[in-house]
Amino acid sequence: MKTIAEATGLSLSTVSLSLRGGTTLKQETRDKVAEAARKLGYIPDRAGVRLRTGKTNVLALVLDGAEDSIDFARQMIQGIGQAIQGTAYHLTVTPEFERQSTDTIRYILENRNADGVIITHTGPRDPRVQLMIEADFPFVSHGRTEFYSPHPYHDFHSEVFATMAVDRLAEKGCRQAMLVIGDDRTTNYHNIVTAFHRQAARRGLEVRLLEGAMGMSPAELRGVGMELARSPGRPDGLVCDSEMRTIALVGGFNEAGLVPGRDLHLVYKQTSDILPTLFPTMDSIREDVFAAGIELTRLLRRRIEGAPIAELQTLAEPLPQWRS
């Protein structure tokens, strides 16, 4: 660090702060230090840094391994990677296949092998959140909870998603709307279902929920799509919270001879560019998962630096993609 300070003409304390990812410095200063460090081959001794400061310079992403939104994991990781580029932070990713399991969080807390944690797919009384609140450990959740104690979060504004989708179906003349939605253990599920029913009542639509969609395989959902298409009392509008479920249902519709956009109107939550390529006339409402990764990282770094929780709770507004 002394060599970098001499090469850049900056003070040792400024160099030290910059190499630690200090956000209070000008970007020009941080870039100057980073370039000098790169040319000089500076590599911090992470074990020494941890012994001296207690910091690991590691952010941990505990990623839901059962996620059924196409491309979610890749975009989330790329967003976080973009946000930590040029900083001292590194990212570790741990997939968890049992939703809201506490195993990984307990391991991180016991071993202190990260400075902060990002978790996804939170439930109303998520045990992972409770553990980290009690331990006073820096974290941010992708999703809200119902805990009395506030905590940092960034969430897709799912109530607005459901409201926009119902409005779109009503504007197309639909009178019977069905909601196809996944895991009822998440806060997102309850927010969407509540807003869906509320807005449908305002617009005078009859509504139904497709029960058990989360436990169905794509082949089973395809079969449900065929049954719905052939049912005389089928809904004329459908809202789906997942691209995977949308593909399966539309496959069943098509096999039964029903054409979305002509025989039935559909609005789905878009998290990739795959479905617009396959079905360019179907309406969607987009969640920018890449931007979510950037925002979650920003909030977590601010929490690590001691920012008040009240400033670390944000919502991402849905982006309508009306095509038909």
Side-chain angles (χ1 to χ4, degrees):
M1 286 193 292
K2 185 178 180 181
T3 306
I4 294 172
E6 292 172 351
T8 58
L10 299 169
S11 68
L12 186 60
S13 60
T14 298
V15 171
S16 177
L17 179 60
S18 181
L19 291 171
R20 296 199 307 272
T23 55
T24 57
L25 296 174
K26 293 180 179 179
Q27 187 62 46
E28 180 184 356
T29 301
R30 294 166 61 190
D31 291 343
K32 186 175 183 179
V33 172
E35 178 63 16
R38 186 189 65 78
K39 288 181 177 179
L40 292 166
Y42 171 80
I43 300 173
D45 184 335
R46 291 179 61 189
V49 169
R50 182 173 181 179
L51 283 172
R52 186 177 72 255
T53 67
K55 285 179 62 67
T56 64
N57 286 334
V58 171
L59 303 182
L61 170 63
V62 181
L63 189 65
D64 186 84
E67 171 55 39
D68 52 13
S69 294
I70 297 174
D71 219 22
F72 179 93
R74 182 186 68 85
Q75 291 190 65
M76 176 66 70
I77 292 169
Q78 285 190 341
I80 297 171
Q82 172 82 14
I84 62 175
Q85 188 174 10
T87 74
Y89 284 108
H90 299 266
L91 176 67
T92 63
V93 181
T94 303
E96 286 205 324
F97 296 96
E98 181 183 347
R99 183 153 287 180
Q100 297 169 22
S101 167
T102 60
D103 292 348
T104 299
I105 298 301
R106 288 186 185 278
Y107 181 84
I108 293 171
L109 292 177
E110 290 169 1
N111 294 278
R112 294 284 164 166
N113 55 3
D115 294 335
V117 172
I118 297 170
I119 60 172
T120 67
H121 299 81
T122 52
R125 305 295 294 178
D126 198 303
R128 302 170 300 171
V129 170
Q130 184 171 0
L131 273 176
M132 290 186 284
I133 288 176
E134 291 173 352
D136 194 25
F137 189 78
F139 78 97
V140 60
S141 62
H142 187 225
R144 288 161 280 176
T145 68
E146 294 179 357
F147 284 102
Y148 178 76
S149 300
H151 64 81
Y153 66 75
H154 176 67
D155 197 10
F156 180 63
H157 206 162
S158 50
E159 300 94 321
V160 174
F161 160 77
T163 301
M164 291 174 102
V166 170
D167 285 342
R168 181 64 170 172
L169 294 181
E171 289 162 5
K172 286 176 171 270
C174 296
R175 304 308 303 160
Q176 298 182 39
M178 172 177 278
L179 174 63
V180 180
I181 187 169
D183 194 345
D184 62 5
R185 293 170 293 176
T186 64
T187 310
N188 180 68
Y189 172 95
H190 298 286
N191 289 340
I192 290 177
V193 170
T194 301
F196 176 78
H197 280 290
R198 182 186 299 120
Q199 193 63 14
R202 288 174 180 160
R203 300 301 297 253
L205 273 65
E206 296 179 21
V207 296
R208 294 160 55 188
L209 258 66
L210 179 63
E211 301 291 345
M214 183 63 189
M216 294 183 187
S217 67
E220 289 171 328
L221 270 174
R222 182 184 177 90
V224 169
M226 291 176 64
E227 290 176 11
L228 281 173
R230 293 166 178 165
S231 170
R234 71 168 181 258
D236 53 8
L238 192 143
V239 177
C240 191
D241 75 325
S242 155
E243 290 183 316
M244 287 296 293
R245 283 188 274 277
T246 301
I247 290 174
L249 286 168
V250 171
F253 294 157
N254 288 340
E255 189 168 339
L258 186 150
V259 179
R262 185 192 69 190
D263 306 309
L264 173 145
H265 295 292
L266 190 150
V267 180
Y268 66 92
K269 186 169 88 166
Q270 178 187 341
T271 53
S272 77
D273 293 325
I274 294 175
L275 257 72
T277 303
L278 298 172
F279 309 111
T281 62
M282 283 200 324
D283 289 332
S284 69
I285 300 174
R286 182 167 170 256
E287 176 183 7
D288 192 336
V289 180
F290 180 84
I294 293 175
E295 176 66 359
L296 286 163
T297 309
R298 184 187 75 83
L299 295 175
L300 181 56
R301 291 186 62 194
R302 290 202 63 211
R303 182 58 183 152
I304 291 170
E305 293 165 1
I309 291 174
E311 299 177 4
L312 307 178
Q313 298 176 329
T314 60
L315 293 173
E317 295 305 317
L319 306 170
Q321 312 288 308
W322 305 147
R323 301 184 177 90
S324 57

